[in-house]
Amino acid sequence: MKIRITSGKVTLEAELRDTPTSKALAAALPFEATAQTWGEEVYFSTPVSVKLEADAKQVVDPGTVCFWTEGDALALPYGRTPISTDERPKLAARCNLLGTLAGDPRALAGIRSGARIRVENADATKAR
């Protein structure tokens, strides 16, 4: 399944893996939230609440679509966070791994804290 994330002039698509969290997120689409930033990461609340999955990680590659279970939020890292120990993003806590952003994840740098962000099913919008 693909999702589309839009905020202002920034639009990104992501391919989601078949996981329990991805399914819960898909069932909640579409939704809007307010973007927050933490270093080179954009995160925002969702209407989804799930448990930590077995393959959850704290250090991920840029462009990984993550779900922060402690905050019921999507976390979209594109570079270093304040707690990174190398060039890779280090999330605030272990997060469920949902998928990967298509294209250059550094496009997320164009999303400012406080901006409106919309998440929708990209497969459904193409079918129209």
Side-chain angles (χ1 to χ4, degrees):
M1 169 189 186
K2 288 185 181 173
I3 60 170
R4 181 175 297 114
I5 300 159
T6 307
S7 182
K9 295 180 180 178
V10 177
T11 299
L12 291 164
E13 288 194 0
E15 182 72 42
L16 300 187
R17 297 169 39 219
D18 187 12
T19 71
T21 304
S22 293
K23 289 176 184 172
L25 186 70
L29 296 176
F31 64 87
E32 291 191 3
T34 301
Q36 302 296 322
T37 59
W38 187 58
E40 293 180 319
E41 175 188 306
V42 173
Y43 69 97
F44 49 92
S45 62
T46 73
V48 175
S49 183
V50 295
K51 299 198 180 309
L52 204 60
E53 294 177 5
D55 66 346
K57 291 187 178 169
Q58 188 172 13
V59 177
V60 299
D61 291 326
T64 303
V65 179
C66 307
F67 191 88
W68 180 37
T69 60
E70 295 172 24
D72 294 338
L74 274 181
L76 306 172
Y78 59 92
R80 292 176 56 88
T81 67
I83 61 171
S84 288
T85 55
D86 58 24
E87 293 307 309
R88 294 176 302 164
K90 184 173 184 181
L91 306 167
R94 288 176 60 219
C95 291
N96 293 343
L97 306 177
L98 304 189
T100 307
L101 291 171
D104 185 359
R106 295 208 61 84
L108 289 165
I111 300 176
R112 299 285 173 236
S113 192
R116 293 302 296 164
I117 196 159
R118 179 176 172 82
V119 182
E120 59 193 337
N121 182 331
D123 294 329
T125 55
K126 287 180 182 168
R128 286 186 206 152

